[in-house]
């Protein structure tokens, strides 16, 4: 496994110990994509999402990304409703509401034109296309008069289109955007001039953190010199070291110093690579630890995000919840994908001839649960005779069901394991069965460890694996390689935090 994968697991461990009320850090970004920094509204793929998610995880927080028009983002920052903007240029207006800190990147502007510079210098005035609100580019000057033409949502494709309409003579673009776009279209270089040494020196990128955010607090900067212009280096305040904002910004800087930020950037900035193949990942679990959470900070989403990054752009795994019946239908129709946290016997594939299967990912146990005041020691289905057994609709129980049908065991179904535990506590059941992974969450969430009894002998011990469909054998092999690399790593500790083990 790559060092990037290992580091992600280290960060995740700090998050798992937090409750559902752990801090949430909101990043705002404008609605258009900006490759390789951030992708479309649908997925937010890119450097910013991975870098800041990792920094948030390292301090036990979660990252939420809000996409809005840029002016709306800045307004929300003034109100403290958005915590930070990932790449913000310093100016005196923004300094009234944003605190600036390095984000691990540096940038440099380059220029594009349809004519060489010496021909442009013959004009009376050069019209320069710049992003709306982009301001002055430090170190950039021309020997003749110039006029900035501000363009909303300016990117390189829009710039080339406006060139043809003669809206401006020169356009300033971030160097990584120009290089990435032009590397895939060498024919454009025959029509467009790229000026790489025209526009100032390389400068550090900064994030801007809202000083109105509830996660930000500050104290006076004793080194501030009020007679000098305000700047990032000469600022009236410093962030309080006890605040979430400080720890978050420090985590970002540590990722930059360790080289991890550069690795993430290199992954997303490979301009000439084909887009990754999307692989569907299906789970039919609606409750932790195998469910998909809305914020994607769940075991399945985190694991397959790492799998995506470690594939170096070959695959992008897309976890989603589907009901079991829907998954069965898709498999029968020959749809390709991965079913996670499954077992061959549950898919009528004990001989493993219908599908490919990975190695064991985690071990599973179905626990027999009763009340402490009326404990049940399970030794086989006969030990449940005469009892009210709580089942879940649609679930099959090996050995137990045949006796339930003959009325030796009274099976009473509900829609969930949690509901069965509730009925057990109310003495409307004598005994129920709960997978150990789910029981871990129920006991902690409801704080009822002292009220229930878990039989030393479980109903069943089994392996949870990943089902991989027939056209994805290369993916199965890749998953096995990654799982092998997880051996004796923080992954095992992560599983323990979820009440799971290999």
């Amino acid at each position: 496994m790559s060092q990037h994968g290992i580091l992600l697991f280290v960060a995740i461990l700090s998050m798992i110990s937090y409750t559902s009320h752990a801090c949430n850090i909101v990043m705002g970004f404008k609605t258009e994509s900006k490759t390789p920094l951030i992708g479309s509204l649908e997925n937010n793929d890119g450097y910013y999402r991975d870098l800041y998610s990792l920094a948030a995880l390292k301090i036990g927080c979660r990252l939420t990304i809000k996409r809005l028009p840029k002016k709306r983002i800045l307004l929300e920052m003034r109100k403290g409703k958005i915590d930070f903007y990932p790449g913000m240029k310093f100016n005196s207006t923004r300094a009234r509401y944003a605190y600036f800190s390095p984000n691990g990147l540096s940038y440099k502007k380059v220029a594009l034109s349809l004519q060489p510079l010496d021909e442009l210098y013959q004009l009376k005035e050069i019209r320069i296309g710049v992003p709306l609100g982009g301001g002055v580019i430090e170190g950039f000057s021309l020997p003749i008069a110039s006029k900035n033409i501000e363009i909303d949502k300016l990117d390189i494709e829009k710039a080339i289109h406006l060139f043809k309409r003669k809206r401006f003579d020169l356009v300033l673009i971030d160097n990584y955007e120009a290089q990435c776009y032009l590397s895939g279209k060498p024919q454009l270089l025959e029509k467009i001039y790229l000026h790489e040494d025209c526009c100032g020196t390389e400068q550090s990128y900064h994030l801007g953190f809202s000083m109105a955010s509830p996660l930000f607090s500050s104290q006076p900067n004793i080194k501030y010199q009020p007679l000098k212009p305000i700047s990032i280096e000469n600022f009236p305040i410093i962030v309080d070291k006890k605040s979430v904002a400080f720890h978050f910004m420090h985590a970002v800087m540590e990722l930059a110093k360790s080289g991890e930020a550069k690795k993430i950037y290199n992954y997303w900035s490979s301009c000439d690579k084909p887009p990754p193949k999307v692989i569907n990942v299906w789970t039919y679990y609606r409750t932790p630890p195998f469910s998909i959470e809305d914020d994607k900070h769940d075991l399945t989403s985190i694991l397959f995000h790492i799998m995506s990054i470690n594939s170096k752009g070959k695959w992008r795994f897309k976890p989603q919840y589907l009901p079991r019946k829907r998954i069965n239908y898709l498999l029968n129709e020959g749809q390709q994908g991965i079913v996670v946290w499954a077992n061959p016997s549950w898919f009528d594939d004990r001989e493993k001839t219908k599908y490919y299967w990975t190695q064991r990912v985690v071990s599973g146990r179905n626990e027999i649960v009763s009340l402490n005041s009326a404990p049940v020691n399970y030794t086989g289905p006969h030990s449940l005779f005469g009892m009210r057994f709580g089942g879940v609709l649609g679930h099959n129980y090996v050995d137990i069901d045949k006796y339930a049908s003959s009325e030796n065991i009274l099976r009473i179904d509900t829609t969930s394991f949690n509901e069965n535990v509730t009925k057990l506590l109310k003495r409307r059941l004598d005994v129920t069965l709960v997978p150990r992974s789910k029981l871990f969450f129920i006991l902690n969430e409801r704080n009822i460890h002292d009220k229930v009894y878990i039989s030393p002998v479980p109903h069943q011990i089994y392996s949870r694996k990943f089902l991989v469909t027939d056209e994805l054998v290369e993916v199965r092999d890749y998953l096995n390689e990654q799982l092998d690399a997880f051996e004796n790593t923080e992954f095992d500790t992560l599983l323990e935090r979820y009440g799971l083990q290999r």
Side-chain angles (χ1 to χ4, degrees):
M1 180 173 61
S2 71
Q3 289 299 310
H4 181 56
I6 292 287
L7 186 54
L8 275 172
F9 276 129
V10 174
I12 290 164
L13 291 178
S14 64
M15 180 192 75
I16 301 303
S17 62
Y18 277 65
T19 70
S20 59
H21 302 289
C23 73
N24 183 50
I25 303 177
V26 181
M27 180 184 98
F29 198 79
K30 54 190 177 182
T31 51
E32 62 266 28
S33 61
K34 194 176 181 66
T35 304
L37 300 180
I38 195 165
S40 65
L41 295 172
E42 287 74 28
N43 57 44
N44 295 314
D45 283 349
Y47 172 79
Y48 282 155
R49 183 197 62 186
D50 283 5
L51 176 75
Y52 293 119
S53 291
L54 181 54
L57 288 169
K58 283 177 71 67
I59 64 167
C61 295
R62 298 181 175 188
L63 181 75
T64 298
I65 300 175
K66 291 183 71 172
R67 304 292 290 272
L68 297 168
K70 181 126 181 223
K71 288 185 177 180
R72 176 77 182 279
I73 293 286
L74 300 183
L75 178 62
E76 296 285 278
M77 284 186 64
R78 290 187 183 96
K79 296 178 180 179
K81 295 182 178 180
I82 287 178
D83 297 310
F84 77 101
Y85 197 83
M88 180 177 277
K89 187 175 179 182
F90 179 89
N91 62 39
S92 57
T93 300
R94 292 172 178 173
R96 295 171 188 165
Y97 60 85
Y99 187 89
F100 292 81
S101 179
N103 74 354
L105 277 182
S106 59
Y107 72 97
K108 183 177 183 290
K109 292 289 184 181
V110 297
L112 301 176
S113 68
L114 295 179
Q115 301 169 264
L117 287 178
D118 56 355
E119 292 183 18
L120 289 177
Y121 293 163
Q122 304 305 313
L123 301 174
K124 290 183 179 180
E125 181 183 71
I126 295 180
R127 298 166 304 161
I128 305 172
V130 297
L132 184 66
V136 178
I137 306 299
E138 294 181 22
F140 175 66
S141 62
L142 292 171
I144 64 169
S146 63
K147 176 183 178 181
N148 282 1
I149 309 293
E150 292 195 342
I151 307 294
D152 187 27
K153 299 181 180 178
L154 180 62
D155 60 21
I156 191 166
E157 285 199 43
K158 191 171 186 177
I160 291 171
H161 174 70
L162 294 175
F163 266 141
K164 296 176 181 178
R165 296 176 59 187
K166 299 185 178 180
R167 288 283 304 275
F168 41 69
D169 308 298
L170 194 76
V171 65
L172 301 182
I173 295 286
D174 288 330
N175 59 339
Y176 57 78
E177 185 179 355
Q179 291 165 1
C180 199
Y181 185 84
L182 294 173
S183 68
K185 299 174 177 62
Q187 70 277 8
L188 277 178
L189 289 173
E190 299 175 4
K191 304 175 183 179
I192 291 179
Y193 290 88
L194 173 64
H195 313 288
E196 298 186 83
D197 300 316
C198 66
C199 311
T201 58
E202 191 169 71
Q203 301 177 48
S204 295
Y205 245 5
H206 293 80
L207 67 87
F209 207 100
S210 167
M211 292 188 285
S213 164
L215 305 179
F216 184 91
S217 59
S218 64
Q219 57 191 52
N221 181 6
I222 60 174
K223 296 182 180 179
Y224 173 60
Q225 300 181 50
L227 298 181
K228 290 186 177 182
I230 191 170
S231 66
I232 293 175
E233 294 75 23
N234 185 46
F235 207 67
I237 62 169
I238 57 174
V239 61
D240 191 328
K241 291 185 177 182
K242 296 180 181 179
S243 68
V244 171
F246 171 83
H247 290 290
F248 178 67
M249 290 185 279
H250 181 73
V252 172
M253 288 189 285
E254 286 298 308
L255 290 170
K257 289 178 183 177
S258 70
E260 192 62 29
K262 184 66 173 176
K263 290 178 185 177
I264 299 172
Y265 181 78
N266 288 343
Y267 169 76
W268 287 109
S269 63
S270 299
C271 306
D272 56 352
K273 66 184 180 182
K277 180 180 179 180
V278 176
I279 306 294
N280 287 316
V281 177
W282 301 314
T283 179
Y284 51 88
Y285 291 95
R286 302 188 66 175
T287 54
F290 301 130
S291 56
I292 304 293
E293 305 300 324
D294 290 339
D295 60 8
K296 305 302 183 187
H297 285 80
D298 55 83
L299 178 60
T300 304
S301 297
I302 290 169
L303 178 60
F304 279 93
H305 181 56
I306 295 168
M307 293 290 192
S308 295
I309 290 176
N310 286 354
S311 78
K312 299 179 180 177
K314 191 169 184 176
W315 296 297
R316 182 166 72 84
F317 296 95
K318 183 182 178 183
Q320 58 186 309
Y321 163 78
L322 290 177
R324 173 63 189 269
K325 286 185 177 180
R326 179 63 179 169
I327 291 175
N328 290 345
Y329 172 79
L330 294 177
L331 293 176
N332 289 334
E333 289 294 305
Q335 294 287 326
Q336 300 300 303
I338 300 168
V339 183
V340 290
W341 318 116
N343 182 278
S345 64
W346 306 340
F347 284 82
D348 192 26
D349 193 25
R350 290 179 184 272
E351 303 301 319
K352 302 180 185 177
T353 56
K354 294 173 62 175
Y355 308 107
Y356 293 114
W357 293 88
T358 65
Q359 62 181 269
R360 182 181 69 229
V361 183
V362 295
S363 298
R365 285 168 58 104
N366 286 339
E367 304 288 5
I368 298 295
V369 184
S370 54
L371 289 175
N372 244 335
S373 57
V376 174
N377 286 302
Y378 184 76
T379 57
H382 293 83
S383 56
L384 306 183
F385 278 16
M387 296 185 183
R388 297 166 297 171
F389 172 81
V392 174
L393 285 168
H395 286 225
N396 298 320
Y397 299 98
V398 177
D399 295 333
I400 293 176
D401 279 349
K402 62 182 180 182
Y403 293 103
S405 61
S406 64
E407 298 184 356
N408 287 305
I409 300 171
L410 178 59
R411 175 172 169 171
I412 304 172
D413 281 354
T414 64
T415 58
S416 70
F417 297 113
N418 216 339
E419 190 176 348
N420 278 336
V421 171
T422 297
K423 293 183 74 171
L424 179 71
L425 294 173
K426 293 180 178 180
R427 299 182 181 274
R428 291 163 59 188
L429 294 174
D430 301 304
V431 66
T432 188
L433 180 153
V434 185
R436 182 177 179 83
S437 53
K438 176 60 182 173
L439 184 62
F440 171 86
F441 275 87
I442 293 175
L443 297 182
N444 284 324
E445 185 178 53
R446 303 177 64 167
N447 193 25
I448 53 172
H449 294 267
D450 60 334
K451 295 181 180 180
V452 301
Y453 178 80
I454 302 171
S455 171
V457 177
H459 168 253
Q460 206 177 16
I461 297 176
Y462 51 86
S463 296
R464 291 188 185 270
K465 305 179 180 184
F466 297 156
L467 178 160
V468 182
T469 51
D470 59 345
E471 295 178 16
L472 300 177
V473 62
E474 188 180 2
V475 173
R476 190 277 309 269
D477 294 342
Y478 167 73
L479 295 177
N480 277 335
E481 289 173 4
Q482 292 294 299
L483 292 168
D484 283 338
F486 291 160
E487 198 69 44
N488 298 319
T489 67
E490 285 79 4
F491 181 55
D492 296 305
T493 309
L494 171 63
L495 292 177
E496 289 175 10
R497 298 288 179 91
Y498 278 103
L500 303 169
Q501 57 185 344
R502 294 272 193 151

